[in-house]
Amino acid sequence: MKRTSVFAALIQWITSAGLSFRPSRQIPGKWKLYEYYTEKDNELINLKEEQIVKCRQYWELYFETNGQLEQKTNLPVVFLSKAKRVKWHTSRNYIKLMDADERDQKVDFQYAVAGENLKLLKKDEKGRIEFFGFFRKTRQF
């Protein structure tokens, strides 16, 4: 009898504290790009953290819990760069970024969260990699 009540109390604590292990619940926060792949002229290009720093490239994302997204980037592979306000939401293993003012401007990424790492994958209609990036969760923006 006592085991059941302890187990129930633990479950209640986990759900009430907002502790969720679902990837969509782990996304809110600040993320910084540390490696990415892109396909240009049928050649797969991989830039690692040292090269990104050397080339002074960056992409920082701040996923807010209210569905807003702030981003800072100077990558040659840019998504929604002209949007003033960007919203985000997840569905299954996809994350959708959309211009809050122009609903037809949107980008879908496949995503995965593993610990403090976020992976975003965007392919074109022919299945080539437009962007495959690895982000690390940070405490600064």
Side-chain angles (χ1 to χ4, degrees):
M1 186 84 153
K2 190 170 186 171
R3 280 187 180 165
T4 307
S5 64
V6 171
F7 183 70
L10 178 63
I11 296 297
Q12 183 180 6
W13 174 76
I14 288 173
T15 56
S16 68
L19 300 174
S20 176
F21 301 104
R22 292 187 311 174
S24 62
R25 298 282 172 108
Q26 295 172 322
I27 290 176
K30 299 169 188 175
W31 299 88
K32 184 176 180 179
L33 180 73
Y34 68 89
E35 181 178 1
Y36 75 95
Y37 294 82
T38 187
E39 197 168 337
K40 185 176 181 183
D41 301 325
N42 292 324
E43 181 181 345
L44 187 63
I45 299 167
N46 174 228
L47 271 83
K48 297 196 179 280
E49 192 166 15
E50 305 83 36
Q51 296 166 304
I52 291 172
V53 170
K54 185 178 177 181
C55 296
R56 296 184 179 168
Q57 293 182 341
Y58 61 91
W59 191 7
E60 297 170 340
L61 300 168
Y62 179 38
F63 292 95
E64 298 180 32
T65 55
N66 66 1
Q68 296 290 327
L69 170 72
E70 291 181 34
Q71 63 177 337
K72 297 177 185 177
T73 185
N74 68 350
L75 287 184
V77 182
V78 180
F79 302 97
L80 298 173
S81 62
K82 298 199 184 334
K84 301 249 190 268
R85 294 182 314 127
V86 179
K87 293 188 148 292
W88 70 276
H89 77 274
T90 59
S91 176
R92 297 185 186 178
N93 67 328
Y94 286 90
I95 186 165
K96 183 179 296 239
L97 308 181
M98 64 196 119
D99 187 327
D101 300 320
E102 295 187 35
R103 299 271 181 202
D104 60 329
Q105 297 293 320
K106 59 187 170 199
V107 180
D108 290 327
F109 290 92
Q110 283 184 281
Y111 81 96
V113 178
E116 296 290 309
N117 292 298
L118 170 68
K119 300 172 189 174
L120 294 179
L121 173 63
K122 169 82 173 102
K123 292 184 177 182
D124 67 10
E125 60 278 347
K126 294 181 181 179
R128 293 180 300 216
I129 295 173
E130 282 186 56
F131 178 82
F132 184 31
F134 301 85
F135 295 79
R136 191 175 291 126
K137 201 161 205 175
T138 66
R139 303 209 185 279
Q140 353 171 313
F141 190 54

